[in-house]
Amino acid sequence: MRTQVCIIGGGPSGLLLSQLLHLKGIDTIVLERQSRAYVLSRIRAGVLETGLCNLLRKAGAGERMDREGFIHGGTLLAAEGRKFRIDFDGLIGKSVMVYGQTEVTRDLYDARDRMDGKIIHDVDGTTIHSADTDAPYVTFVKDGTEQRVDCEWVAGCDGFHGVSRKTIPDSVLRQYEKVYPFGWLGILSETPPVDDELIYANHERGFALCSMRNANLSRYYIQAPVDDPLGKWSDDTFWDELRRRLPAEAADRMVTGPSIEKSIAPLRSFIAEPMRWGRLFLVGDAAHIVPPTGAKGLNLAASDVHYLSDALIRLYDENYSAGIETYSANALARVWKASRFSWWMTSTLHRFPTQTAFDQNMQEAELSYLENSRAAQTALAENYVGLPY
Ligand code: APR
Ligand code: PHB
C-alpha cells in the first residue's frame, strides 16, 4: 500500500488528523491496534475547548456536538464547605462545551466513514521504518499477514503506550515526567448531575469532581490510592465518600444510583521532546500526558492536530515547509503551558500524602486568593477555556 500520510492510532488525534487532511485532498491510512468497538468503549473526559469544537466543525464532525453538547459559561470550586464560581463568560467572554470524548470519537468515525476513510483495525506489530529518510514506511500484521505502507510522512497518534515515541532514538528524545501519589476513582451513573456546572472540590479527605455527560448521565471522581482494588469501592461506599467531600447543599441534593462504569486511573504529567524526528511526528498522548484535573488531554491533542494538519496542507498546497519545520516548537509551546495549568490545578485541589502544615496553608491561601481576586479567576478562566492556538 502507498499513501501520503500514514497515521498510527485511531483515537481522537488520528481520526481528526485523517479527516482534516482528507478534506484537503491529502491521502491517509489509519492503522489502529484495537477494534472500533473497543476504541468506542473507552470512557474519557468531556470538556471541549472552543479550538477543538471549531476543528470538529471544520472536519464535518461537529453537528451532534452542537445539538447535544452543553455550553458551560463557568465552573464551581468548593473548599472547606463553601462554593464559589469562576465565571468564564463574565471574565473573558468565552465558554467550554461539555460533550463526552467517546461521542467525539464516534462522530469522527462516522465522518471518516462518510468519506470512505481508510482505517485498518486490529493491526499488530506496527513498526515504523526509515523515518529519518525521505522514504519512510510502516509495517504491521493483519490476520497473520505482514503488510507494508509506503508513505511520505508518519503521524504517531498512538497514545502513551504506542510505538511512535519509542521510534525516536534515545540520543534524540528528551522526556519529562511527574507521577502524582494518588489516582482518580471514577464512576458513570444514569443519574441527573448534582449541579448545572462542574464542581471541583478540595477537601481534607481528598479531591472530588462532579461532572456530567447529559441530563441523565453523571460522571463523578474522587481522589483515591492508585493501587486500591476496585472491589474495595462498592457503589454505596463511593457515594458516601463523595458526599463527604462536597458542600452540604450539594451532598444533600445528590441523586445516587448504580454505577455503569467504575475505574481507577493514575495521574501523571509527561512531555516528550521533540515532537518530530525526520518524517515522523508525535501527536496527542503519544507526546504528552496531563493529569485530568484541567481537562486538557483531548484539547492538547486537538491543538497538535491543528498545527500538524495546517503544516501538511500548506506543504502540499503551496510547497511551504515552515509549518513542518516549526511543528514541534509550536506544539510544545502550548503543551508546556497547558501542562503547567494541569499541574497547578492538581496541586491546588488534591491532598498530598506527604504535604506539611505549611503546604496545607499554601493551598488554603491559593484558594482564598482565587475566591477573592478577579485577576486570579481570570487567569484560571483563560487557561481552562483554552489558550489560543
Ligand atoms: N499500533 C496501532 N495503534 C495503536 C498502537 C500501535 N502500536 N498503540 C496504540 N494504538 C492506538 C490505541 O489503541 C488508541 O486507539 O492508538 C490510539 C491512541 O488513542 P488515545 O490513547 O486516545 O490518544 P489520542 O488519540 O492522542 O487522544 C488523546 O484522548 O483518549 C484520550 O486520554 C486521551 O485525552 C486524551 C486524548
Ligand atoms: C469528565 O467529565 O470526565 C471530566 C471533566 C473535567 C475534568 C476531568 C474529567 O477536569
Short mmCIF file of all heavy atoms in Angstrom, two decimals, residues 8-14 31-34 39 42 44 101 123 126 157-163 283-286 297-298 301, ligand 1:
data_model
loop_
_atom_site.label_atom_id
_atom_site.label_comp_id
_atom_site.label_asym_id
_atom_site.label_seq_id
_atom_site.Cartn_x
_atom_site.Cartn_y
_atom_site.Cartn_z
N ILE A 8 -0.72 6.40 12.66
CA ILE A 8 -0.78 5.27 13.59
C ILE A 8 -1.64 5.68 14.78
O ILE A 8 -1.31 6.62 15.50
CB ILE A 8 0.62 4.84 14.06
CG1 ILE A 8 1.48 4.50 12.83
CG2 ILE A 8 0.55 3.64 14.99
CD1 ILE A 8 2.92 4.22 13.16
N GLY A 9 -2.77 4.98 14.94
CA GLY A 9 -3.68 5.28 16.05
C GLY A 9 -5.01 5.83 15.54
O GLY A 9 -5.05 6.83 14.85
N GLY A 10 -6.07 5.12 15.91
CA GLY A 10 -7.43 5.54 15.51
C GLY A 10 -8.22 6.07 16.69
O GLY A 10 -9.42 5.84 16.82
N GLY A 11 -7.52 6.82 17.56
CA GLY A 11 -8.21 7.56 18.63
C GLY A 11 -8.54 8.95 18.11
O GLY A 11 -8.48 9.21 16.89
N PRO A 12 -8.91 9.85 19.02
CA PRO A 12 -9.31 11.20 18.59
C PRO A 12 -8.26 11.92 17.73
O PRO A 12 -8.59 12.51 16.71
CB PRO A 12 -9.53 11.94 19.91
CG PRO A 12 -9.79 10.88 20.92
CD PRO A 12 -9.04 9.67 20.47
N SER A 13 -6.99 11.81 18.11
CA SER A 13 -5.93 12.51 17.34
C SER A 13 -5.87 12.00 15.91
O SER A 13 -5.93 12.78 14.96
CB SER A 13 -4.56 12.27 17.99
OG SER A 13 -4.47 12.80 19.26
N GLY A 14 -5.75 10.67 15.78
CA GLY A 14 -5.57 10.10 14.45
C GLY A 14 -6.77 10.33 13.55
O GLY A 14 -6.63 10.63 12.36
N LEU A 31 -3.89 3.23 10.95
CA LEU A 31 -3.66 1.88 11.48
C LEU A 31 -4.03 1.88 12.96
O LEU A 31 -3.45 2.64 13.74
CB LEU A 31 -2.20 1.47 11.30
CG LEU A 31 -1.64 1.53 9.88
CD1 LEU A 31 -0.15 1.17 9.89
CD2 LEU A 31 -2.42 0.59 8.95
N GLU A 32 -5.00 1.06 13.34
CA GLU A 32 -5.48 1.02 14.74
C GLU A 32 -5.34 -0.38 15.30
O GLU A 32 -5.80 -1.35 14.71
CB GLU A 32 -6.94 1.50 14.81
CG GLU A 32 -7.64 1.25 16.15
CD GLU A 32 -6.89 1.79 17.36
OE1 GLU A 32 -6.50 2.98 17.37
OE2 GLU A 32 -6.67 0.99 18.31
N ARG A 33 -4.69 -0.46 16.47
CA ARG A 33 -4.42 -1.76 17.08
C ARG A 33 -5.71 -2.46 17.53
O ARG A 33 -5.81 -3.68 17.44
CB ARG A 33 -3.50 -1.54 18.31
CG ARG A 33 -3.16 -2.81 19.06
CD ARG A 33 -2.00 -2.60 20.00
NE ARG A 33 -2.30 -1.60 21.02
CZ ARG A 33 -1.40 -1.19 21.93
NH1 ARG A 33 -0.16 -1.67 21.88
NH2 ARG A 33 -1.70 -0.30 22.84
N GLN A 34 -6.68 -1.68 18.01
CA GLN A 34 -7.89 -2.29 18.58
C GLN A 34 -9.02 -2.32 17.56
O GLN A 34 -8.96 -1.70 16.51
CB GLN A 34 -8.32 -1.49 19.82
CG GLN A 34 -7.26 -1.32 20.89
CD GLN A 34 -6.92 -2.63 21.60
OE1 GLN A 34 -7.55 -3.67 21.37
NE2 GLN A 34 -5.90 -2.60 22.45
N VAL A 39 -12.30 0.77 20.88
CA VAL A 39 -11.94 2.19 20.96
C VAL A 39 -13.12 3.00 21.49
O VAL A 39 -12.97 3.86 22.35
CB VAL A 39 -11.51 2.73 19.58
CG1 VAL A 39 -11.29 4.26 19.63
CG2 VAL A 39 -10.22 2.05 19.11
N ARG A 42 -14.06 3.16 25.41
CA ARG A 42 -13.27 3.91 26.38
C ARG A 42 -14.07 5.10 26.94
O ARG A 42 -14.68 5.85 26.19
CB ARG A 42 -11.98 4.44 25.73
CG ARG A 42 -11.03 3.34 25.31
CD ARG A 42 -9.80 3.93 24.65
NE ARG A 42 -8.89 2.90 24.19
CZ ARG A 42 -8.30 2.93 22.99
NH1 ARG A 42 -8.57 3.92 22.15
NH2 ARG A 42 -7.47 1.99 22.63
N ARG A 44 -13.70 8.57 28.70
CA ARG A 44 -12.68 9.60 28.92
C ARG A 44 -13.37 10.92 29.29
O ARG A 44 -14.58 10.96 29.45
CB ARG A 44 -11.83 9.74 27.66
CG ARG A 44 -11.01 8.51 27.30
CD ARG A 44 -9.77 8.41 28.11
NE ARG A 44 -9.04 7.17 28.01
CZ ARG A 44 -8.29 6.80 26.97
NH1 ARG A 44 -8.25 7.54 25.89
NH2 ARG A 44 -7.61 5.66 26.99
N GLN A 101 -16.02 12.53 25.37
CA GLN A 101 -14.97 12.23 24.37
C GLN A 101 -15.32 11.00 23.57
O GLN A 101 -14.98 10.88 22.38
CB GLN A 101 -13.64 12.04 25.08
CG GLN A 101 -12.53 11.73 24.11
CD GLN A 101 -11.21 11.70 24.78
OE1 GLN A 101 -10.87 12.58 25.57
NE2 GLN A 101 -10.46 10.67 24.48
N VAL A 123 -4.72 -4.24 14.03
CA VAL A 123 -3.37 -4.48 13.49
C VAL A 123 -2.43 -4.80 14.64
O VAL A 123 -2.60 -4.38 15.77
CB VAL A 123 -2.83 -3.26 12.71
CG1 VAL A 123 -3.78 -2.86 11.60
CG2 VAL A 123 -2.55 -2.10 13.63
N THR A 126 2.86 -3.08 14.72
CA THR A 126 3.14 -1.86 13.93
C THR A 126 4.58 -1.42 14.16
O THR A 126 5.03 -1.30 15.30
CB THR A 126 2.20 -0.73 14.37
OG1 THR A 126 0.86 -1.22 14.41
CG2 THR A 126 2.29 0.45 13.44
N CYS A 157 -0.03 8.94 16.27
CA CYS A 157 -1.20 9.31 17.09
C CYS A 157 -1.59 8.12 17.97
O CYS A 157 -2.78 7.87 18.21
CB CYS A 157 -2.35 9.70 16.18
SG CYS A 157 -1.96 11.07 15.07
N ASP A 158 -0.59 7.39 18.42
CA ASP A 158 -0.85 6.08 19.04
C ASP A 158 -0.76 6.10 20.57
O ASP A 158 -0.54 5.08 21.20
CB ASP A 158 0.08 5.02 18.46
CG ASP A 158 1.55 5.46 18.40
OD1 ASP A 158 1.83 6.65 18.64
OD2 ASP A 158 2.41 4.60 18.14
N GLY A 159 -0.93 7.29 21.16
CA GLY A 159 -1.10 7.34 22.60
C GLY A 159 0.18 7.06 23.38
O GLY A 159 1.24 6.80 22.83
N PHE A 160 0.02 7.08 24.70
CA PHE A 160 1.18 6.98 25.61
C PHE A 160 1.90 5.65 25.46
O PHE A 160 3.12 5.56 25.61
CB PHE A 160 0.70 7.17 27.05
CG PHE A 160 1.79 7.20 28.07
CD1 PHE A 160 2.71 8.24 28.10
CD2 PHE A 160 1.91 6.18 29.00
CE1 PHE A 160 3.74 8.27 29.05
CE2 PHE A 160 2.93 6.20 29.96
CZ PHE A 160 3.85 7.24 29.97
N HIS A 161 1.16 4.59 25.18
CA HIS A 161 1.75 3.26 25.11
C HIS A 161 2.04 2.81 23.68
O HIS A 161 2.28 1.62 23.43
CB HIS A 161 0.81 2.25 25.78
CG HIS A 161 0.52 2.59 27.23
ND1 HIS A 161 1.46 2.49 28.22
CD2 HIS A 161 -0.60 3.09 27.81
CE1 HIS A 161 0.93 2.87 29.38
NE2 HIS A 161 -0.32 3.25 29.18
N GLY A 162 2.01 3.75 22.75
CA GLY A 162 2.22 3.39 21.35
C GLY A 162 3.68 3.17 21.00
O GLY A 162 4.58 3.22 21.86
N VAL A 163 3.92 2.97 19.71
CA VAL A 163 5.29 2.68 19.23
C VAL A 163 6.00 3.93 18.72
O VAL A 163 7.23 3.93 18.59
CB VAL A 163 5.24 1.63 18.09
CG1 VAL A 163 4.74 0.30 18.58
CG2 VAL A 163 4.42 2.14 16.90
N VAL A 283 1.87 13.11 18.03
CA VAL A 283 0.64 13.89 18.18
C VAL A 283 -0.14 13.38 19.40
O VAL A 283 -0.25 12.16 19.58
CB VAL A 283 -0.26 13.75 16.93
CG1 VAL A 283 -1.51 14.61 17.05
CG2 VAL A 283 0.52 14.13 15.67
N GLY A 284 -0.65 14.30 20.22
CA GLY A 284 -1.53 13.89 21.32
C GLY A 284 -0.80 13.12 22.41
O GLY A 284 0.35 13.39 22.73
N ASP A 285 -1.50 12.10 22.94
CA ASP A 285 -0.95 11.37 24.08
C ASP A 285 0.35 10.66 23.77
O ASP A 285 1.07 10.25 24.67
CB ASP A 285 -1.98 10.34 24.56
CG ASP A 285 -2.99 10.94 25.51
OD1 ASP A 285 -3.07 12.19 25.57
OD2 ASP A 285 -3.67 10.18 26.20
N ALA A 286 0.67 10.47 22.49
CA ALA A 286 1.97 9.88 22.12
C ALA A 286 3.11 10.75 22.61
O ALA A 286 4.21 10.27 22.89
CB ALA A 286 2.05 9.69 20.61
N GLY A 297 -6.33 16.83 28.20
CA GLY A 297 -5.79 15.75 27.37
C GLY A 297 -6.25 15.83 25.93
O GLY A 297 -5.46 16.03 25.00
N LEU A 298 -7.53 15.74 25.73
CA LEU A 298 -8.08 15.77 24.36
C LEU A 298 -7.84 17.13 23.71
O LEU A 298 -7.57 17.23 22.51
CB LEU A 298 -9.58 15.46 24.42
CG LEU A 298 -10.35 15.50 23.11
CD1 LEU A 298 -9.75 14.52 22.10
CD2 LEU A 298 -11.81 15.19 23.35
N ALA A 301 -4.40 17.35 22.34
CA ALA A 301 -4.32 16.57 21.11
C ALA A 301 -4.87 17.39 19.94
O ALA A 301 -4.31 17.38 18.83
CB ALA A 301 -5.11 15.27 21.27
N1 APR B 1 -0.48 0.41 16.54
C1 APR B 1 -1.69 0.93 16.19
N2 APR B 1 -2.50 1.61 17.03
C2 APR B 1 -2.05 1.79 18.30
C3 APR B 1 -0.79 1.31 18.74
C4 APR B 1 0.00 0.59 17.79
N3 APR B 1 1.20 0.10 18.14
N4 APR B 1 -0.63 1.66 20.05
C5 APR B 1 -1.74 2.34 20.41
N5 APR B 1 -2.60 2.42 19.37
C6 APR B 1 -3.92 3.05 19.35
C7 APR B 1 -4.74 2.86 20.61
O1 APR B 1 -5.48 1.65 20.57
C8 APR B 1 -5.65 4.09 20.61
O2 APR B 1 -6.88 3.82 19.99
O3 APR B 1 -3.71 4.46 19.27
C9 APR B 1 -4.86 5.13 19.80
C10 APR B 1 -4.39 6.28 20.67
O4 APR B 1 -5.54 6.98 21.12
P1 APR B 1 -5.55 7.77 22.52
O5 APR B 1 -4.81 6.99 23.53
O6 APR B 1 -7.00 8.12 22.78
O7 APR B 1 -4.70 9.08 22.26
P2 APR B 1 -5.07 10.35 21.37
O8 APR B 1 -5.77 9.95 20.12
O9 APR B 1 -3.83 11.13 21.29
O10 APR B 1 -6.15 11.12 22.25
C11 APR B 1 -5.73 11.96 23.25
O11 APR B 1 -7.94 11.36 24.03
O12 APR B 1 -8.07 9.13 24.56
C12 APR B 1 -7.91 10.36 25.09
O13 APR B 1 -6.71 10.27 27.16
C13 APR B 1 -6.63 10.60 25.81
O14 APR B 1 -7.48 12.71 26.40
C14 APR B 1 -6.52 12.06 25.60
C15 APR B 1 -6.87 12.24 24.18
#
